[in-house]
Amino acid sequence: MSRIILLSVDHSLAQRITDAMQGRATVEMAQSVTPALIEGPCLILVDRHAIPPERSLASALGAVMESAEGRPIVLATDETNAEQILHAIRSGADDVIARTAEGGDIAAILGRLLNQAVADHGSGGRLTLVLGADQENAAMVATDMAVSRAQAGSSTLLIDCTMPTSAAEAYLDLKVSYGLASAVADIERLDASLLSNTLARHEPSGLMLLTLDGGSGTEPAGIAPADIAALVRLLRACCGDVLLSAGSLRHSALLRTLASLADHIELVCAQSIREMEACRRLLERMGNDEAVRAKTRLLVWDHQPAILLDSHRMGDVLQAGSILPLPIDQVRARNALNAGRPLAMEGSADRYMRAIRQACGVQARPSANGLDRLRRLLQRPLERTA
């Protein structure tokens, strides 16, 4: 949980802040800032009354800044006119609250800065960027990977930016009413608790889903690329695993930012020269530098060994860091999409799901039938010996 380090001896101020945050953060009172005290996401709240009269505000805030290591600093003061606020910010404070403030006035400012601290200093979950020329195929791969990770026990969020409607929403047979625009609007108060209560959840696996259109079927207006990047940073800090299906996102600067944030990049491409050219252009939009290439894996959709454009030639052209064929039964895949039951939920160990589990680093759980078959095989030598 995020923490608020209150440099004060005023217990009534600490209690009002605790009540205002409603469990979103714990309040710890201290006399000074130490390295051990600011481990993890936190902000530092300086009580103006705790600064000795003989010491200037600029000197006190400057000393806190030196020890804060980039954590947000807020000043609680009785002097809230424009000139005093400007002086506090110039002295090093990120924002100012009135010492007599209550409830929402406190939560609005501290919540925004806490989320900034979570995004910048939180441990952060694993972020996987999935993209490809065929948005539906890429969304299915991202969904099966996300379901596999959720089944393995990880707190997993799938963000699907496929347009005009979410392919993941159809594949999971979910009704989504909370989209990226709503999440951006809520970013100042967004945390793990709010996510679990507002996002659509796939109950059989526990996977959470956030879509670009939010169930409206239209592209949201008023969202800047920087808003999406900031939201992804925050969501990554709130979940163990975040998989982002890029779908319709084509803004070069945003793709470069997402590629730099991602731990892994999965590029879904069929054995088609047209798809391969489209994927090459996608990589160019992301910068296609050495760092991007090193964490990019080429997933060859519907891999067929008889096709002359084999996976190794594709990997050479796209300069992918690694290659993984994805052989798929197109009939089963289409039936799974139409029925709203992901292949990852079937529990089968066909070549496609073995490749998906390998891609997301999840061990296949042995089925009951498989265990029974293994027991029978082990019993045969014992019966012959008897």
Side-chain angles (χ1 to χ4, degrees):
M1 180 179 288
S2 303
R3 294 174 301 126
I4 297 171
I5 310 303
L6 176 59
L7 301 183
S8 175
V9 293
D10 188 340
H11 290 273
S12 64
L13 176 60
Q15 187 58 51
R16 276 190 287 114
I17 294 169
T18 300
D19 295 341
M21 297 310 295
Q22 298 180 344
R24 285 191 58 194
T26 58
V27 178
E28 299 179 15
M29 300 182 69
Q31 300 301 308
S32 61
V33 178
T34 63
L37 193 63
I38 59 172
E39 288 184 0
C42 65
L43 69 77
I44 300 167
L45 181 59
V46 181
D47 182 5
R48 183 68 177 89
H49 287 191
I51 300 175
E54 66 275 8
R55 190 176 190 188
S56 70
L57 177 64
S59 172
L61 291 179
V64 173
M65 280 184 63
E66 290 180 3
S67 305
E69 298 182 5
R71 271 65 175 182
I73 300 171
V74 180
L75 177 68
T77 179
D78 295 323
E79 303 167 340
T80 56
N81 60 62
E83 185 178 346
Q84 295 294 335
I85 291 174
L86 183 59
H87 175 57
I89 291 175
R90 285 175 174 171
S91 299
D94 292 279
D95 214 325
V96 175
I97 63 170
R99 289 191 86 259
T100 56
E102 300 283 349
D105 294 334
I106 296 175
I109 294 174
L110 300 190
R112 171 174 55 83
L113 292 174
L114 272 175
N115 279 349
Q116 176 187 320
V118 167
D120 293 342
H121 301 285
S123 57
R126 176 170 49 180
L127 174 62
T128 303
L129 178 62
V130 184
L131 67 166
D134 189 307
Q135 296 182 29
E136 186 173 272
N137 291 346
M140 290 183 67
V141 169
T143 304
D144 283 323
M145 291 180 69
V147 168
S148 298
R149 287 182 181 170
Q151 288 178 323
S154 173
S155 170
T156 307
L157 168 64
L158 172 62
I159 307 171
D160 183 24
C161 296
T162 309
M163 288 295 291
T165 57
S166 167
E169 181 180 355
Y171 195 25
L172 291 165
D173 191 23
L174 286 178
K175 182 63 178 176
V176 175
S177 59
Y178 189 87
L180 245 64
S182 301
V184 168
D186 290 337
I187 195 167
E188 293 186 1
R189 62 189 187 94
L190 205 60
D191 59 9
S193 176
L194 182 62
L195 284 176
S196 64
N197 291 329
T198 54
L199 293 184
R201 182 181 292 273
H202 184 244
E203 293 299 338
S205 65
L207 173 67
M208 295 179 288
L209 176 64
L210 179 66
T211 66
L212 180 61
D213 69 311
S216 65
T218 58
E219 187 171 351
I223 300 181
D227 295 330
I228 297 176
L231 179 64
V232 170
R233 287 190 182 95
L234 177 59
L235 294 174
R236 182 183 187 182
C238 295
C239 303
D241 267 304
V242 177
L243 289 96
L244 172 58
S245 178
S248 302
L249 299 181
R250 291 295 183 268
H251 191 279
S252 297
L254 175 58
L255 288 175
R256 284 195 295 271
T257 300
L258 294 176
S260 67
L261 292 174
D263 298 295
H264 306 284
I265 301 172
E266 307 290 358
L267 182 64
V268 182
C269 184
Q271 290 166 282
S272 158
I273 195 166
R274 294 182 71 250
E275 276 204 26
M276 190 171 66
E277 175 62 18
C279 287
R280 186 187 65 78
R281 291 179 180 177
L282 267 178
L283 290 174
E284 285 183 351
R285 286 174 180 264
M286 293 193 299
N288 200 20
D289 56 20
E290 186 175 348
V292 170
R293 290 195 297 269
K295 55 187 174 183
T296 298
R297 173 166 42 198
L298 172 62
L299 301 181
V300 184
W301 176 262
D302 191 21
H303 178 258
Q304 302 290 339
I307 296 178
L308 296 180
L309 183 60
D310 59 41
S311 57
H312 294 290
R313 291 182 182 180
M314 294 172 66
D316 290 341
V317 171
L318 296 173
Q319 297 181 299
S322 58
I323 304 166
L324 180 64
L326 278 184
I328 185 153
D329 184 333
Q330 291 285 2
V331 174
R332 286 186 64 234
R334 193 57 50 189
N335 286 337
L337 176 62
N338 294 338
R341 182 173 174 79
L343 293 172
M345 292 299 302
E346 294 186 0
S348 60
D350 63 0
R351 292 185 299 165
Y352 170 75
M353 278 313 305
R354 287 199 297 271
I356 287 291
R357 293 187 179 110
Q358 179 182 341
C360 57
V362 172
Q363 293 289 336
R365 290 177 294 182
S367 65
N369 291 336
L371 289 174
D372 290 341
R373 192 180 306 113
L374 180 60
R375 290 191 186 99
R376 287 196 297 270
L377 289 172
L378 291 173
Q379 285 174 354
R380 285 178 186 175
L382 295 176
E383 293 170 354
R384 290 172 185 168
T385 303

